[in-house]
Amino acid sequence: MPAIMNKKIHTNDLGIIDYQKAWDYQEQLLQENVRIKQALAKGDVPAGQAKETTHYLLFCGHPHIYTLGKSGHMENLLLDDHQLQDKGISFANTNRGGDITYHGPGQVVGYPILDLEHFFTDIGKYLRFLEEVIIRTLADYGIKGDRSPGETGVWLDPQDPARARKICAMGVRCSRWVTMHGFALNVNTDLNYFGNIVPCGISDKKVASMHEELGREVAEAEVKAKISQHFAEVFEAEMIMD
């Protein structure tokens, strides 16, 4: 762990952005942090000139796309290339964990780029913290989010097989303890798009959205503000709006 802990997280809303463009930007920020850490480890930085790694929480949304994690299975995509084209949906193989998921309008996507050496070096704990952020956010709307044993993400009624449904998917990558990728919370998402995949490779459970649970449109900007607030609480961090 660094001698001086830096827990300042810069938040930035990228708006609706192409998935690959957001991925490239995440990679850029991650690699900048990795280069800083490598230089510090090698002692290549003159005394008094050491640069700190920078933490980010990027919010965005994506045009319709299915993304497959590095351990995912293509058979969980139920459309062929022609059907994807006809429906105006893109597809991407990714380097995150997890299986297949959907991104699209009405979804709040969060990409934390954190140097975990300033927090804790435990990926399992990191995922539980991300889940806790979303669980607290949902609670602000009277929705009881929960965890499903052995399954990453945030669920509703996971203890009841007949009603269990996933409201927030998660998948991350970590390099030299710097994270990227993150979570996708279904706020006003059209859940019909999940019918073209086996979401997260789990065939016996459904998906949910805040809109469906509450029976009304939910302000996505408000959801992002609440996520930032709970991120600060859970990670004991200072959020800086860029």
Side-chain angles (χ1 to χ4, degrees):
M1 292 286 186
I4 300 175
M5 305 296 280
N6 165 28
K7 289 191 172 186
K8 294 181 179 180
I9 301 176
H10 296 261
T11 65
N12 191 358
D13 191 343
L14 305 179
I16 301 297
I17 183 173
D18 178 78
Y19 183 83
Q20 186 63 54
K21 187 174 181 180
W23 185 0
D24 291 344
Y25 184 46
Q26 290 180 75
E27 285 280 6
Q28 175 190 328
L29 298 179
L30 180 145
Q31 293 303 331
E32 285 175 1
N33 278 333
V34 166
R35 283 192 290 271
I36 290 168
K37 297 183 76 167
Q38 289 174 329
L40 289 171
K42 292 178 182 177
D44 292 345
V45 183
Q49 296 183 28
K51 184 179 178 182
E52 285 187 336
T53 51
T54 305
H55 310 297
Y56 303 91
L57 174 57
L58 307 177
F59 286 113
C60 66
H62 297 304
H64 302 293
I65 186 170
Y66 296 120
T67 67
L68 187 70
K70 58 187 177 182
S71 58
H73 300 279
M74 274 301 298
E75 58 265 32
N76 289 325
L77 174 62
L78 308 179
L79 301 176
D80 61 28
D81 290 345
H82 294 297
Q83 291 170 315
L84 286 171
Q85 187 173 3
D86 287 345
K87 292 177 180 292
I89 309 172
S90 301
F91 173 80
N93 283 293
T94 77
N95 59 357
R96 61 163 173 80
D99 205 287
I100 196 166
T101 196
Y102 162 76
H103 295 306
Q107 196 176 63
V108 169
V109 178
Y111 294 134
I113 316 292
L114 306 182
D115 179 359
L116 289 182
E117 288 195 294
H118 287 270
F119 298 90
F120 45 77
T121 49
D122 184 329
I123 293 298
K125 182 176 180 179
Y126 173 60
L127 287 167
R128 303 296 82 77
F129 270 41
L130 291 183
E131 290 166 351
E132 183 63 25
V133 169
I134 300 302
I135 287 169
R136 293 188 186 191
T137 300
L138 292 172
D140 289 340
Y141 293 88
I143 301 172
K144 188 181 185 304
D146 207 344
R147 297 179 176 87
S148 180
E151 297 173 318
T152 300
V154 178
W155 300 77
L156 308 181
D157 298 310
Q159 71 286 349
D160 183 349
R163 301 187 66 226
R165 54 215 187 277
K166 194 172 197 175
I167 196 167
C168 184
M170 294 182 180
V172 303
R173 178 194 169 210
C174 188
S175 176
R176 294 185 69 95
W177 293 114
V178 180
T179 67
M180 64 176 286
H181 296 299
F183 58 86
L185 174 62
N186 296 327
V187 181
N188 300 306
T189 316
D190 182 349
L191 300 181
N192 290 316
Y193 284 91
F194 286 95
N196 301 317
I197 60 173
V198 181
C200 304
I202 302 169
S203 60
D204 60 344
K205 294 179 182 175
K206 300 176 181 178
V207 290
S209 70
M210 296 177 68
H211 182 285
E212 186 177 72
E213 297 301 313
L214 298 173
R216 62 176 176 85
E217 193 92 358
V218 181
E220 291 160 36
E222 180 183 77
V223 172
K224 293 171 187 176
K226 290 182 181 295
I227 289 173
S228 292
Q229 172 193 334
H230 294 305
F231 212 96
E233 295 167 357
V234 172
F235 284 86
E236 297 180 344
E238 176 187 354
M239 310 305 285
I240 300 171
M241 295 291 293
D242 286 342

